[in-house]
Amino acid sequence: MQTGEAVTIVHGEQELLERTMHLFTAATDVACAANDLATWATTQSTDEFAELVRERRPGDVRLRKLYRSVLLLDPVAARKLARDRDRHGAHIRITTDEINETIILDRRLVILAGDLSAGRRSYSIITQREAVQGVTSLFDAAWRPATELDVYDTQIAEIRQLAPQVLDLLSQGVKDEAAARTLRLGVRTYRRRVAELMDALGAESRFQAGVRARELGLV
């Protein structure tokens, strides 16, 4: 562990869990952002964390979660998000912007995920007031325009079903007209679905969409 002025750097999920468990237990306002479901918290298998989740009932804490839109392309992940909302009263929104894994407790403490090093990830625990306020402001700015889970899930339902086929056709370089015929869609509809898929993946080109889909295991 490394400690600086109002900033503590910990290495690995276990050390982070040990240092922050009591903070989660006491928190009444929790905000978090993540690109996927494989966050330090959801990957923990310790009895302590499992017990904490069971004890936190809807209404015990204001819980806001911001996730990347690409998660909704995976039906399993979509169901997990809905279950988290229903079981724990989480208010979940979806954004197409790239975000960093961040947790804010009671607007007084921030946990920022760092990079992997020697197989372990580092985390910054920040209590410096101005820094916490800055991160909180960035979270709020990302939260406000983000889309409610149910709304986005409805919007993306059709493209989620078509995504594997569309990605396969794109990877083969099939022209839009032929791809549309394969999927029994009009060309304009097909192109709209491709654009929606690129948006969900946060991709600016079809090539980038294919790369990100492979990175995420969607193809």
Side-chain angles (χ1 to χ4, degrees), residues 65-80:
K65 294 189 175 184
L66 184 65
Y67 287 104
R68 282 286 304 280
S69 53
V70 67
L71 274 177
L72 275 295
L73 291 174
D74 180 353
V76 175
R79 288 193 295 271
K80 286 182 178 179

Side-chain angles (χ1 to χ4, degrees), residues 84-100:
D84 186 26
R85 176 200 59 204
D86 296 339
R87 288 183 178 178
H88 306 299
H91 188 181
I92 299 175
R93 290 187 180 180
I94 306 298
T95 179
T96 57
D97 296 329
E98 191 162 345
I99 50 182
N100 185 69

Side-chain angles (χ1 to χ4, degrees), residues 14-204:
Q14 186 59 42
E15 183 179 3
L16 178 62
L17 185 67
E18 291 171 353
R19 293 189 63 85
T20 60
M21 176 62 68
H22 67 290
L23 300 174
F24 277 92
T25 302
T28 59
D29 189 320
V30 178
C32 55
N35 285 302
D36 54 49
L37 293 178
T39 63
W40 74 272
T42 56
T43 56
Q44 289 303 309
S45 59
T46 61
D47 293 337
E48 295 96 328
F49 188 78
E51 186 62 30
L52 173 63
V53 171
R54 282 194 293 269
E55 289 179 355
R56 299 314 293 260
R57 298 169 299 176
D60 286 349
V61 59
R62 181 194 185 205
L63 180 58
R64 293 183 296 161
K65 294 189 175 184
L66 184 65
Y67 287 104
R68 282 286 304 280
S69 53
V70 67
L71 274 177
L72 275 295
L73 291 174
D74 180 353
V76 175
R79 288 193 295 271
K80 286 182 178 179
L81 288 183
R83 188 163 57 244
D84 186 26
R85 176 200 59 204
D86 296 339
R87 288 183 178 178
H88 306 299
H91 188 181
I92 299 175
R93 290 187 180 180
I94 306 298
T95 179
T96 57
D97 296 329
E98 191 162 345
I99 50 182
N100 185 69
E101 187 176 337
T102 305
I103 299 175
I104 305 169
L105 301 181
D106 292 327
R107 295 180 175 264
R108 292 186 298 182
L109 178 143
V110 166
I111 300 171
L112 295 178
D115 297 325
L116 281 171
S117 178
R120 292 195 305 172
R121 199 173 189 183
S122 63
Y123 297 88
S124 300
I125 304 174
I126 303 170
T127 57
Q128 204 275 338
R129 186 177 63 180
E130 288 76 13
V132 171
Q133 289 176 344
V135 174
T136 301
S137 295
L138 289 174
F139 178 89
D140 289 340
W143 176 264
R144 284 191 293 270
T147 306
E148 297 289 340
L149 173 61
D150 285 347
V151 174
Y152 195 88
D153 189 52
T154 299
Q155 293 173 350
I156 205 171
E158 186 171 355
I159 190 58
R160 181 166 55 218
Q161 293 178 333
L162 292 174
Q165 296 164 282
V166 172
L167 289 167
D168 183 53
L169 291 166
L170 289 177
S171 68
Q172 295 179 50
V174 177
K175 293 185 179 299
D176 288 357
E177 292 75 9
R181 286 195 299 271
T182 298
L183 297 176
R184 297 182 179 179
L185 299 173
V187 175
R188 292 177 62 182
T189 299
Y190 172 75
R191 288 173 177 164
R192 186 169 64 251
R193 294 294 179 250
V194 171
E196 291 169 349
L197 179 58
M198 289 171 55
D199 188 51
L201 288 166
E204 297 180 358

